[in-house]
Amino acid sequence: MNRRLVVYVISDSIGETGEQVVKAAISQFVCKDCEIRRFPYISEEEQIIEIINEAKNENSMIVFTMVIPSLRKKLREAAQKHNILAIDIMTPIIKSLEKVLGDKPKNEPGLIRKLDEKYFKKIEAIEFAVKYDDGKDPRGLKKADIVLIGISRTSKTPLSMYLAHKNIKVANVPLVPEVPVPEELFKIAPQKIIGLTTNPIKLNEIRQERLKALGLKNEANYASMDRILSELDYAEGIMKRLGCPIIDVSSKAIEESASIILEIIKQNTQVLT
């Protein structure tokens, strides 16, 4: 006997988990007339009553993924009253985890979706940082949450990637005396720009190590003190012209510099709101 069956999937979130479980289970049967009806974002007891009143008139069963205790209780009671089979997917797993972890569940709908959204936002920020690294495309400056500027070896790229993992879109622009500064830099709000500077002696050491890694001689102009002082003076002039905050990164770890930038972002947000 193969009667028509309607499976009601009820959730206080999107309901996708419950629907996928039902589909997987139904696939194990030759069910020629099976229908799945999904009811997402159920947040009121009245909604549950309406669904039960519809289900009681059909050959039906209910599968639910609800984390709000009061709604679970109401659904069980209403289904039992009308002799409708109701299967709770989430509660046995949550109870087991509660016992194993020794912790209480949040009982908040849609958390997995929020986690997914946060993950994809992070990926988007990382891709942005790669695309607009080292002044590759000045069009990205207007799209960025923060723009880092500074001479070579002032941690622009490491900071960009670190902040990207905090879901912040960062572009960075190298300041080189021989290369014109992109016009777009002067068309964005100065509070979105962070100038990075450093101690010339420290920078000299870093650049010499960089030359060694590349198999070049230490006498190259790139690592000379005169060149470094010239670049720092040039960069300082640009930063003053822009009126942007300046961070000395010479004695700071990436995390420490990033923390200062995050605080600047926070202050800017407060001012705007």
Side-chain angles (χ1 to χ4, degrees):
M1 184 176 182
N2 200 336
R3 295 174 59 194
R4 170 178 168 76
L5 173 67
V6 180
V7 182
Y8 288 77
V9 177
I10 305 174
S11 177
D12 46 19
S13 183
I14 196 169
E16 188 176 17
T17 300
E19 183 174 11
Q20 290 302 316
V21 170
V22 171
K23 284 181 178 178
I26 286 177
S27 70
Q28 300 296 315
F29 297 86
V30 182
C31 189
K32 296 180 180 179
D33 197 4
C34 292
E35 179 185 352
I36 300 173
R37 296 179 189 170
R38 185 179 1 157
F39 294 83
Y41 304 114
I42 300 300
S43 58
E44 304 288 339
E45 292 186 0
E46 288 76 11
Q47 294 173 293
I48 291 173
I49 298 303
E50 289 176 7
I51 297 168
I52 294 293
N53 286 336
E54 179 182 325
K56 71 181 182 181
N57 297 317
E58 300 181 274
N59 181 39
S60 65
M61 63 180 284
I62 293 171
V63 172
F64 61 99
T65 56
M66 309 189 80
V67 297
I68 301 175
S70 60
L71 293 181
R72 284 203 307 261
K73 183 173 183 291
K74 183 66 179 179
L75 179 53
R76 286 197 196 95
E77 290 174 350
Q80 187 175 12
K81 180 180 178 181
H82 295 283
N83 295 316
I84 301 172
L85 177 63
I87 301 168
D88 183 352
I89 292 178
M90 294 286 284
T91 300
I93 300 172
I94 289 175
K95 290 291 185 184
S96 297
L97 286 170
E98 183 179 355
K99 183 177 180 180
V100 172
L101 297 174
D103 196 8
K104 293 290 183 183
K106 295 179 180 178
N107 293 328
E108 182 181 341
L111 286 180
I112 190 169
R113 193 160 177 242
K114 291 178 183 177
L115 288 171
D116 287 345
E117 288 172 357
K118 187 176 180 181
Y119 171 77
F120 286 115
K121 189 176 180 181
K122 180 190 292 186
I123 295 300
E124 184 182 358
I126 292 171
E127 290 176 346
F128 187 95
V130 172
K131 184 176 182 179
Y132 298 110
D133 180 48
D134 208 29
K136 289 175 185 173
D137 186 351
R139 292 174 298 180
L141 301 183
K142 290 184 179 180
K143 304 174 187 177
D145 298 320
I146 284 290
V147 177
L148 304 179
I149 62 173
I151 66 174
S152 176
R153 316 314 292 178
T154 50
S155 303
K156 296 185 299 298
T157 297
L159 270 171
S160 295
M161 295 307 297
Y162 185 93
L163 291 167
H165 280 82
K166 302 289 184 182
N167 302 339
I168 296 169
K169 292 181 179 179
V170 186
N172 73 75
V173 177
L175 299 180
V176 183
E178 295 79 11
V179 180
V181 177
E183 294 180 7
E184 289 85 351
L185 197 60
F186 296 95
K187 296 178 181 178
I188 59 178
Q191 60 265 29
K192 281 181 60 176
I193 305 169
I194 305 291
L196 304 177
T197 189
T198 189
N199 179 281
I201 297 174
K202 181 74 173 177
L203 183 57
N204 177 257
E205 294 173 358
I206 292 171
R207 288 192 175 184
Q208 286 187 1
E209 288 299 320
R210 176 63 173 163
L211 289 174
K212 285 181 184 178
L214 294 172
L216 301 174
K217 294 181 179 180
N218 290 349
E219 298 87 43
N221 188 42
Y222 173 75
S224 73
M225 186 58 73
D226 286 343
R227 173 66 185 186
I228 288 171
L229 291 173
S230 174
E231 286 187 32
L232 286 171
D233 286 343
Y234 170 76
E236 185 180 354
I238 295 293
M239 293 171 193
K240 286 181 177 178
R241 186 177 162 195
L242 289 166
C244 65
I246 301 173
I247 300 173
D248 186 341
V249 299
S250 54
S251 59
K252 294 180 177 67
I254 294 297
E255 295 83 358
E256 189 177 356
S257 298
S259 179
I260 296 171
I261 294 171
L262 290 170
E263 185 59 34
I264 291 171
I265 294 172
K266 182 180 177 181
Q267 290 173 0
N268 290 341
T269 304
Q270 290 173 346
V271 169
L272 291 172
T273 54

